[in-house]
Amino acid sequence: MGFSLQANSKRPRATTVLAWIVIAFAIYSGLNRHNFEPSDLVSTAAPFLATLLCLFATVAFWRSDNPDAPHNKAGLIRGILGVGCFAAVAFVMSWMAIFGVSAAVMRTVASELAVSVGVVSVHPEGKGKGCHYRLELHAPALSKPMSPCVSEELWRLLKPGDTVILVIATGPLGTQIFDVQGSD
């Protein structure tokens, strides 16, 4: 697939390591999507940075000298379509990874701040994978309403108009929610 080990070596290429890092941060971003709100700076820079990472990955994939790579033995049209699909996936993964890196930096660097916020609404119970219990919260400390994941117990206790304690970190990269606690 282009991101394989170097010939006669057990060490991965730099492109392989970069691909795994991007995938890891993209997964983290997907898992953290309800608890992080990127700033306008990050939202504006994301498409440009994702395009650069996508171009780097696509060129590395296209230049693969592996004769068994799908785009090298599929013919010209199928090869171009394969590289195009790879570029689209690389762009989306890079875009998500940029938000994941921003959230990870906010989680490790920024100091926590506890604020009292009002519950705007209690979302219906979610189905499937991921976050099942969410609230819509709004406070002056938040740039826009956020819908963080909460425990089932807290979700069942709260109704619109109630107040909760929100532990957040804000900075130039965005707003990261660490915890939502009921105000006793």
Side-chain angles (χ1 to χ4, degrees), residues 28 32 35 102-110 112 169 176-178:
Y28 177 74
N32 193 36
N35 295 333
S102 300
V105 168
M106 288 298 298
R107 184 169 285 281
T108 58
V109 174
E112 297 178 6
Q176 174 71 50
I177 296 177
F178 294 116

Side-chain angles (χ1 to χ4, degrees), residues 15-161:
T15 52
T16 305
V17 173
L18 178 64
W20 284 111
I21 290 171
V22 167
I23 290 169
F25 277 113
I27 291 170
Y28 177 74
S29 174
L31 294 173
N32 193 36
R33 71 185 179 276
H34 296 293
N35 295 333
F36 178 71
E37 181 64 39
S39 68
D40 291 338
L41 172 71
V42 172
S43 296
T44 304
F48 299 110
L49 294 173
T51 301
L52 288 175
L53 282 171
C54 170
L55 287 174
F56 175 75
T58 304
V59 168
F61 180 70
W62 180 262
R63 293 183 46 129
S64 173
D65 56 356
N66 180 2
D68 294 328
H71 67 276
N72 283 337
K73 54 182 205 179
L76 181 64
I77 301 298
R78 288 184 182 169
I80 290 172
L81 287 174
V83 170
C85 288
F86 176 82
V89 169
F91 180 78
V92 170
M93 293 297 279
S94 299
W95 190 310
M96 289 177 60
I98 290 163
F99 292 133
V101 168
S102 300
V105 168
M106 288 298 298
R107 184 169 285 281
T108 58
V109 174
S111 59
E112 297 178 6
L113 170 69
V115 294
S116 180
V117 298
V119 176
V120 176
S121 68
V122 178
H123 292 292
E125 181 177 354
K127 302 292 184 208
K129 297 180 181 178
C131 183
H132 296 286
Y133 307 103
R134 295 186 305 131
L135 306 170
E136 184 172 330
L137 306 172
H138 186 66
L142 303 173
S143 59
K144 55 180 127 175
M146 292 183 71
S147 298
C149 294
V150 296
S151 67
E152 181 179 3
E153 296 82 25
L154 185 62
W155 179 78
R156 292 198 185 282
L157 289 175
L158 296 174
K159 60 187 180 305

